[in-house]
Every structure is written in C-alpha cells, then in structure tokens.
C-alpha cells in the first residue's frame, strides 16, 4: 500500500451517484462507532482521509475512496458505510439495501464487530440477513483488539464466527480478521485480503 495512492471520490445515497464507478470494490460495514472509518484510514495508510469521530452516527452516507497503483493500472474502490444500530434498532436507509442488492462490482463486505463486545447484537444479525439474502460475500473483522488481552481473542472470534455463520452460511468466509487501528495489528492481513479479492 505504500506504493499506492488513495483519494476521496464521492459521497452517495443512490445508484445514480456511483454507477459510473466500475472498478472492483470492497465495503466496510458495522454498528455505529465500531471503527469503520478509522480502519479504512489504517488500510489506506492515511491519517485523515476518512473522517472519524467519538460520536456514533458520524458517517451518514456511502463514502467512496479510490486506491490506485502509482506504478501502473489497477484501481479499486473502498466504501465507508454508515453505521447501523444508532438511531433505532434496525435503522438503515433504503440506499443501503439498494447498494447491497444491486452493486455488481462489490467483491466483499468487511463486517466489523468490536472485540470487547464479543457477540453479535440484533442489528448485526439483521445486517447479516441482508448479506445472505442478496448473496454478498462477507468477512468478519474483529476490531479494537487493543482493548483486549490477547489470550481472549481466539475464543471471542470463534464464538462470533459461529453465531454469524448460522445467519449467513452461504456468504460468510470461515476466517475472521483480528485487528486494531490503534496498534495496526492485523492491518497487513486486511490489506492483503482487500487486494486479492479485488484481483490485484
Ligand atoms: P460511524 O461513522 O459513526 O458509524 O462510526 P465508525 O464506525 O466509522 O467509527 P470511527 O472510525 O469514527 O471511530 C469511532 C471511535 O472509535 C473513535 O473515537 C475512534 O478513535 C475509536 N477507534 C477506532 N478504531 C479503534 C481501535 O482500533 N482501537 C481503539 N481503542 N479505538 C478505536
Ligand atoms: Mg464512520
């Protein structure tokens, strides 16, 4: 990623806004405040490209970023999704459903779960239902791992994977990624996944 450059593209709330973007794409989803925007900054090796906040509900639309190779062709899009479960139990706009159901270039959704929480909440389960319904490939990212003692990590991730696999058996990858934006633990693994799923 050091040999690539990242930039902000657009903020979108409907297909018309992003239809012209046709590169392979990945998206980051999860409950409000789980650290999606911070994680994208870490993956892109940028400090402030994506706005983050202590207050939940900060990202309220789909934000598209481009990652290009400085050396040659090969560009991908990375989408920061608004968090769910902040205003009401099951709250996401129709544009989220439209995005998940119709976005052909979307290769994988990385679904973040906070390590310390250690389980899926009902909003996570509802989101997994959507992924399963629209057959969107997904991978769990257990994040803010710096808040935990490392001995607890395996137990937590296997419990969360088990719970999620029950809901989205046909789309969820069997492997979760454990990481922290604060310590950069696991960021290299996540970067490698992003590039390989986008064919780079
Ligand atoms: P919304 O856009 O509101 O849905 O939130 P988000 O998921 O984009 O979260 P964001 O990246 O804005 O981070 C929320 C808060 O969590 C901020 O105060 C971050 O500093 C903090 N945070 C993010 N990643 C980590 C991490 O890896 N470890 C710790 N300890 N804190 C983190
Ligand atoms: Mg955000």
């Amino acid at each position: 990623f050091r040999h690539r450059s990242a930039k902000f593209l657009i903020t979108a709330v409907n297909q018309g806004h992003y239809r012209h973007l046709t590169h392979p794409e990945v998206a980051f989803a999860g409950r409000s405040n789980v650290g999606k925007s911070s994680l994208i900054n870490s993956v892109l090796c940028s400090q402030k490209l994506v706005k983050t906040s202590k207050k939940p509900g900060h990202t309220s639309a789909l934000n598209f970023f481009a990652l290009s190779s400085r050396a040659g062709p090969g560009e991908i899009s990375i989408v920061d999704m608004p968090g769910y479960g902040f205003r009401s139990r099951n709250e996401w706009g129709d544009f989220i459903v439209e995005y998940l159901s119709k976005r052909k270039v979307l290769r994988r959704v990385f679904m973040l779960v906070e390590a310390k929480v250690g389980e899926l909440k009902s909003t996570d389960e509802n989101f997994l239902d959507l992924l399963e319904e629209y057959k969107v490939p997904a991978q769990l990212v257990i994040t803010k791992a710096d808040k935990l003692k490392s001995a607890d990590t395996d137990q937590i991730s296997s419990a969360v994977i088990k719970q999620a696999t029950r809901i989205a058996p046909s789309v969820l990858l069997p492997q979760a990624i454990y990481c922290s934006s604060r310590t950069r633990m696991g960021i290299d693994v996540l970067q490698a996944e992003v590039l390989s799923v986008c064919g780079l």
Side-chain angles (χ1 to χ4, degrees):
F1 276 69
R2 260 175 285 124
H3 306 292
R4 296 173 187 277
S5 63
K7 65 169 194 253
F8 170 74
L9 289 173
I10 53 158
T11 293
V13 290
N14 65 55
Q15 264 196 95
H17 295 150
Y18 52 74
R19 197 178 277 125
H20 64 288
L21 302 170
T22 54
H23 294 296
E25 189 166 291
V26 293
F28 287 78
R31 289 162 56 78
S32 280
N33 214 43
V34 71
K36 299 173 290 297
S37 301
S38 306
L39 194 61
I40 295 175
N41 274 331
S42 300
V43 164
L44 295 176
C45 301
S46 67
Q47 292 291 314
K48 290 191 210 103
L49 188 60
V50 192
K51 289 193 197 93
T52 65
S53 171
K54 282 200 176 82
K55 279 194 232 127
H58 188 76
T59 311
S60 59
L62 298 164
N63 287 313
F64 287 69
F65 299 86
L67 181 69
S68 345
S69 169
R70 289 198 180 111
E75 184 169 314
I76 67 175
S77 303
I78 295 187
V79 179
D80 188 14
M81 297 182 75
Y84 48 76
F86 165 56
R87 285 179 195 85
S88 68
R89 216 174 74 86
N90 191 3
E91 191 243 356
W92 45 67
D94 291 343
F95 67 94
I96 299 292
V97 177
E98 179 186 49
Y99 175 73
L100 293 176
S101 61
K102 302 207 172 119
R103 189 69 173 143
K104 294 214 171 63
V105 294
L106 178 59
R107 299 280 178 94
R108 188 179 296 172
V109 168
F110 292 97
M111 179 177 158
L112 277 63
V113 177
E114 193 171 332
K116 212 173 159 190
V117 175
E119 59 173 15
L120 299 177
K121 300 290 185 186
S122 61
T123 46
D124 293 313
E125 297 183 327
N126 294 339
F127 188 76
L128 281 163
D129 278 333
L130 279 183
L131 298 176
E132 179 71 18
E133 182 175 352
Y134 299 117
K135 299 291 173 249
V136 184
Q139 183 167 25
L140 287 170
V141 177
I142 318 267
T143 191
K144 301 197 188 179
D146 54 284
K147 290 190 177 180
L148 270 193
K149 292 195 197 79
S150 61
D152 300 331
T153 58
D154 286 350
Q155 216 180 331
I156 283 171
S157 61
S158 65
V160 172
I161 291 168
K162 226 172 165 180
Q163 199 184 350
T165 306
R166 249 183 269 130
I167 302 165
S170 73
V171 295
L172 193 73
L173 266 82
Q175 205 76 48
I177 300 170
Y178 222 87
C179 62
S180 162
S181 299
R182 202 147 282 177
T183 65
R184 288 193 70 80
M185 163 194 169
I187 299 299
D188 52 342
V189 178
L190 184 54
Q191 289 172 327
E193 284 291 332
V194 168
L195 293 182
S196 84
V197 77
C198 290
L200 292 185

